[in-house]
Amino acid sequence: RKEVEQDPGPFNVPEGATVAFNCTYSNSASQSFFWYRQDCRKEPKLLMSVYSSGNEDGRFTAQLNRASQYISLLIRDSKLSDSATYLCVVKAAGNKLTFGGGTRVLVKP
Amino acid sequence: ETGVTQSPTHLIKTRGQQVTLRCSSQSGHNTVSWYQQALGQGPQFIFQYYREEENGRGNFPPRFSGLQFPNYSSELNVNALELDDSALYLCASSLGTSPDTQYFGPGTRLTVL
């Protein structure tokens, strides 16, 4: 079983719609959680950290469920520029970031 | 831009050859982590360097090795290249060994024929 698992998609989303997807992690000792965004053939960039209480950044909302060991990302009012691969990232104690395989989102006019 | 640079941007090698990839960290950052990202996969942690010493390693064989220099720039060396080593190699710089935020460079795309 992979340490961090994501639905690879693609999620085809009409412009203006809402899309949500999850990521599950296997290490119950995981301490920090993030969503990164990666555009085609580019490097990953931090989108947002995920806190236990849930957090929102503009149109993006992230949730953490420690009991069920999953995190989620919701994108409201999708823009064409939101088309990207969204990487779920988990960090246990220490220095290693563990990435999921990514969820591809395609926003269409 | 993150201020993290990598060279070269693209590289083509043949099986059995050796390769050296380079990374310059963001100013003030003393830690460099290296990742391998195969096509369609997420990045996989190779190792981390802190103050010129290896500080953690992922599930990669010894033919993957590295260096960090006093100016905190870093090299990734891969010996005896295999076809499966074809990937995007990313370095990420950070301040400290267990940061929440790492800043990625643009990567080096390695193709092994």
Side-chain angles (χ1 to χ4, degrees):
Chain A
R1 182 186 173 189
K2 291 183 180 178
E3 290 183 66
V4 180
E5 295 202 66
Q6 295 184 248
D7 182 339
F11 284 65
N12 293 299
V13 185
E15 192 175 9
T18 296
V19 61
F21 40 89
N22 294 340
C23 148
T24 59
Y25 60 94
S26 60
N27 184 355
S28 59
S30 298
Q31 297 180 343
S32 303
F33 307 88
F34 313 91
W35 284 104
Y36 275 69
R37 172 196 168 122
Q38 187 171 28
D39 294 302
C40 188
R41 305 183 78 83
K42 299 283 191 178
E43 71 274 22
K45 294 182 179 178
L46 179 65
L47 178 66
M48 59 196 303
S49 301
V50 187
Y51 304 117
S52 296
S53 56
N55 50 299
E56 191 174 306
D57 183 0
R59 298 180 293 107
F60 298 83
T61 301
Q63 297 278 353
L64 167 63
N65 186 317
R66 285 189 183 271
S68 300
Q69 295 185 203
Y70 75 85
I71 68 175
S72 64
L73 182 67
L74 181 146
I75 308 173
R76 284 185 302 278
D77 188 22
S78 297
K79 311 290 184 191
L80 297 177
S81 58
D82 294 334
S83 296
T85 296
Y86 291 85
L87 297 162
C88 172
V89 184
V90 172
K91 186 165 82 77
N95 51 25
K96 185 179 84 166
L97 296 182
T98 301
F99 286 78
T103 295
R104 192 166 166 221
V105 172
L106 296 174
V107 181
K108 300 187 174 180
Chain B
E1 299 297 327
T2 63
V4 181
T5 61
Q6 291 186 243
S7 62
T9 53
H10 296 86
L11 201 52
I12 299 175
K13 292 285 189 178
T14 56
R15 275 185 305 173
Q17 285 189 309
Q18 179 267 342
V19 69
T20 297
L21 310 181
R22 296 178 175 84
C23 170
S24 292
S25 57
Q26 187 178 104
S27 177
H29 284 182
N30 55 14
T31 304
V32 173
S33 302
W34 285 93
Y35 295 82
Q36 179 197 66
Q37 186 174 23
L39 197 61
Q41 307 289 322
Q44 299 295 309
F45 176 74
I46 303 174
F47 43 54
Q48 183 187 82
Y49 276 83
Y50 171 67
R51 292 186 176 179
E52 302 178 56
E53 298 284 336
E54 186 179 293
N55 180 51
R57 188 179 183 93
N59 189 25
F60 281 81
R63 60 189 185 84
F64 286 77
S65 63
L67 285 172
Q68 188 179 32
F69 300 99
N71 66 355
Y72 304 130
S73 66
S74 177
E75 286 183 355
L76 164 65
N77 299 291
V78 187
N79 293 322
L81 284 167
E82 300 176 0
L83 297 180
D84 285 350
D85 295 333
S86 295
L88 179 68
Y89 288 84
L90 296 158
C91 78
S93 81
S94 56
L95 184 60
T97 59
S98 189
D100 277 356
T101 305
Q102 298 186 8
Y103 296 90
F104 284 85
T108 293
R109 190 163 296 279
L110 173 65
T111 302
V112 182
L113 302 176

